[in-house]
């Protein structure tokens, strides 16, 4: 396991905007505050969601869309640089009225309500292409 | 996205009481320690659970009850003030022996065992009625 | 609820090794760095997974195995001492291409890719046998 010891920097409690994209607004916030490395977790609800499953054999992302209200139970992710832009790598567990669940890598979702804790680190994390997985990972 | 920069204050590692309500004992702990703003996450198991799904159209909570042993994988939430009392907004993902899962907003659950990390912030978070969602959210 | 106020110590951002056991490499990292108490959360993907469900009546762990690629959405856990060794108590929510989900207490899983945030505490946590649950819990 490769790892980097980091120093905690700024911390935030956030309330996501109703009607706006869950992931996009985390990235816009990171841009506004100049956050180059962070982890976050939170909870809330969305009006729809588009997940992406990474096929480990074909090494391609396959989309799955859910056009229904879902609880976010929770969202977990991090902020780092990817191809010149800040990227919020975000995974979500989503639930329905009967308790049933879907989950995965979040592409986009329309926020109903959301609460987030963000911990910035005094570091700059930047993703680079990884040959083995064909993913963009941190060279730590 | 509205947000508040916060200063980290006290931190706790906790062991939840067997047989007591999962959410209630987090709120009792917050009262005992005078915690006005915190995020937490943890894991464990419960003997039963009552979840609440928020219907985004009717703007009402609908209960769902599970009277069976379930793993808590994980619990994520926060502590803030709601109508004059400390409230632990808690979401849980719960699993069975065959790996199957239910999840959602936690009303109550009888703890079998539980481990929690709580991070307090040097702030007071208080929920207020939000017109758009009819939920109690933080005016940050 | 029993609890211990802790002081935050070192913090790490980690990238898990492709092909290595998810939990084992967290424990090896904790050994290398001398971490005696920590909580962590993260996300990623695995090539297979073996979960363990604790039967609350029989007080025995029952294994369930999944021999398929799965997203880790998320992993949440902690590091403490158990019977003379560092143990990473880890729960995972795992998802498939169609969004379907299994979850539980992680025994082992072959990492495809993984990203973790680890927060160490200036404490030593050690598990001891608990009579009520027959689990190894922290006497806080």
């Amino acid at each position: 396991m490769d790892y980097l010891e980091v120093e905690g920097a700024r911390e935030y409690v956030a309330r996501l905007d109703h009607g706006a994209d869950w992931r996009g607004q985390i990235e816009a916030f990171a841009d506004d505050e100049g956050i180059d490395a962070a982890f976050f977790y939170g909870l809330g609800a969305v009006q729809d969601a588009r997940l992406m499953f990474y096929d480990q054999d074909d090494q391609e992302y396959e989309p799955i869309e859910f056009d229904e209200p879902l609880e976010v139970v929770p969202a977990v992710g991090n902020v780092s640089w990817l191809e010149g832009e800040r990227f919020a790598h975000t995974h979500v567990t989503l639930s329905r009225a009967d308790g049933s669940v879907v989950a995965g890598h979040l592409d986009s979702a329309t926020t109903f309500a959301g609460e987030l804790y963000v911990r910035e680190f005094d570091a700059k994390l930047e993703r680079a292409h990884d040959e083995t997985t064909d993913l963009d990972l941190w060279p730590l």
Side-chain angles (χ1 to χ4, degrees), chain A residues 51-136:
Chain A
L51 306 182
M52 303 288 270
F53 185 81
Y54 190 70
D55 188 307
Q56 300 180 193
D57 296 318
D58 296 348
Q59 304 199 328
E60 298 288 340
Y61 277 105
E62 298 163 12
I64 341 165
E65 305 203 6
F66 299 93
D67 187 21
E68 56 184 318
L70 296 154
E71 297 282 310
V72 178
V73 201
V76 165
N78 53 55
V79 174
S80 62
W81 285 84
L82 170 64
E83 295 173 2
E85 298 192 334
R86 287 180 178 89
F87 170 64
H89 185 201
T90 307
H91 281 198
V92 288
T93 306
L94 304 168
S95 72
R96 302 187 182 96
D98 63 358
S100 66
V101 176
V102 295
H105 175 101
L106 180 68
D107 182 37
S108 59
T110 308
T111 305
F112 183 75
E115 300 173 348
L116 218 62
Y117 166 61
V118 184
R119 183 164 182 82
E120 185 197 30
F121 309 116
D122 193 7
K124 184 174 181 178
L125 289 173
E126 187 152 12
R127 295 178 181 276
H129 180 256
D130 172 64
E131 284 234 348
T132 309
T133 60
D134 204 29
L135 290 170
D136 297 301

Side-chain angles (χ1 to χ4, degrees), chain A residues 2-16:
Chain A
D2 295 311
Y3 53 89
L4 180 70
E5 188 178 340
V6 291
E7 292 287 321
R10 293 170 293 178
E11 296 178 66
Y12 301 89
V13 167
R15 170 184 161 174
L16 281 79

